[in-house]
Amino acid sequence: MQRQKFLEILTTVRPALAANDLVPVLTHLWFADGRVLACTDATAISAPCDVGFSGAVSGAILLSALLASGAKEVEFVPTEQEVLVKAGGSRIKLPLLPVDKFPFDMPEMPKNAATLPANSSEFVAGVESCLRSVSRDTSVPDQLGVTVIPGKKNLMLYSTNGATISHVAVPLVAGKQGLTRRVVLPAQFCEQLVRLARQDKKCELAVTEDCALLATSDGVMLYGKLVEVDRPLDFAAQVKDSTPEGFNQALVEMPK
């Protein structure tokens, strides 16, 4: 396999590697069934990647070795307990964990899930705009992501960090059935959604009872566990109360 191509694939899933080793298994890259998977407790990314073996290796060590190498090709020689990685004249042995030890399975895109009833590029742009007001304050669930509320003509996107509120209205696509309830997409999922789908007009987004799924046209899958909110904020009322009278009439187009 070409080292640069392999590195690009691993870079795609790298944001879903756990940042610490409190749960060591979540710091590993998992290879199985022609795909590679990385997962935290709330987000997961998988991509097509056929390396000829099944199992998990340390993500940080493998990525560091590939980045440090100048070889054009990389080769894998697996055994039951380890895999030998050959890159040019360098050799590195990595412990190999069996696939059955991984605590997560990437869901398939469900046929009966709520899909995105809006233009994907407009929705992605709206999510990116709302990310400016997302907070990491876990005491306020509404601040942990982007709230999506379906309306009659628009998908209403909101976010807040306690000091600011961002709001974008994304027009619905006529005749396209989809999301019917309010959901909060977690911040990390939104960040990766923007990264993966910004240039992909054929991506698909679906929402199930407890998660959101993104499928790109080149086979990458993104999973995000929905944020649970017991007492949702009334964003529409807050925006209305904070907007001066005649504000819309005072707006002028921003010069190019």
Side-chain angles (χ1 to χ4, degrees):
M1 176 182 290
Q2 292 184 350
R3 181 188 64 88
Q4 190 59 39
K5 178 61 177 178
F6 185 48
L7 192 55
E8 290 175 0
I9 295 172
L10 298 191
T11 301
T12 297
V13 303
R14 183 177 190 173
L17 284 172
N20 56 63
D21 58 357
L22 292 177
V23 183
V25 69
L26 300 183
T27 65
H28 284 55
L29 293 167
W30 290 81
F31 298 92
D33 302 323
R35 298 186 68 86
V36 59
L37 170 73
C39 173
T40 64
D41 58 344
T43 308
I45 305 175
S46 74
C49 183
D50 191 358
V51 292
F53 68 89
S54 297
V57 298
S58 170
I61 296 176
L62 179 57
L63 281 162
S64 295
L66 293 173
L67 287 169
S69 173
K72 291 185 178 181
E73 300 288 331
V74 60
E75 181 183 352
F76 306 97
V77 183
T79 64
E80 289 187 1
Q81 298 182 341
E82 64 184 19
V83 58
L84 174 64
V85 183
K86 298 180 180 180
S90 64
R91 302 287 188 272
I92 181 172
K93 288 184 178 181
L94 298 175
L96 186 64
L97 299 180
V99 172
D100 58 7
K101 289 186 176 293
F102 196 54
F104 177 83
D105 290 321
M106 177 67 77
E108 294 183 359
M109 186 67 74
K111 295 181 180 179
N112 58 346
T115 56
L116 183 64
N119 181 282
S120 60
S121 60
E122 292 183 356
F123 180 80
V124 171
V127 170
E128 185 173 18
S129 294
C130 286
L131 279 173
R132 66 167 67 92
S133 294
V134 169
S135 170
R136 302 295 183 181
D137 184 0
T138 57
S139 65
V140 185
D142 290 279
Q143 298 185 10
L144 298 177
V146 176
T147 298
V148 184
I149 304 176
K152 293 182 178 180
K153 297 182 178 180
N154 300 295
L155 280 179
M156 313 301 283
L157 309 184
Y158 297 96
S159 64
T160 183
N161 54 16
T164 68
I165 294 178
S166 291
H167 165 50
V168 178
V170 181
L172 296 175
V173 175
K176 189 174 181 180
Q177 300 298 318
L179 190 65
T180 58
R181 74 184 199 281
R182 173 179 179 145
V183 297
V184 181
L185 305 178
Q188 188 178 11
F189 176 87
C190 291
E191 291 167 357
Q192 299 311 312
L193 166 71
V194 171
R195 180 178 68 93
L196 295 171
R198 182 187 280 115
Q199 304 298 330
D200 190 347
K201 295 183 179 180
K202 296 183 179 180
C203 61
E204 298 180 4
L205 180 70
V207 178
T208 68
E209 288 298 320
D210 60 355
C211 76
L213 295 168
L214 173 76
T216 70
S217 59
D218 56 359
V220 176
M221 288 287 296
L222 170 65
Y223 162 94
K225 186 177 181 181
L226 297 177
V227 178
E228 296 183 7
V229 181
D230 295 328
R231 299 179 181 178
L233 296 175
D234 189 343
F235 280 109
Q238 290 193 7
V239 171
K240 182 178 180 180
D241 293 342
S242 303
T243 304
E245 186 175 352
F247 175 77
N248 290 334
Q249 288 71 29
L251 293 175
V252 295
E253 185 176 354
M254 184 179 294
K256 294 182 179 180

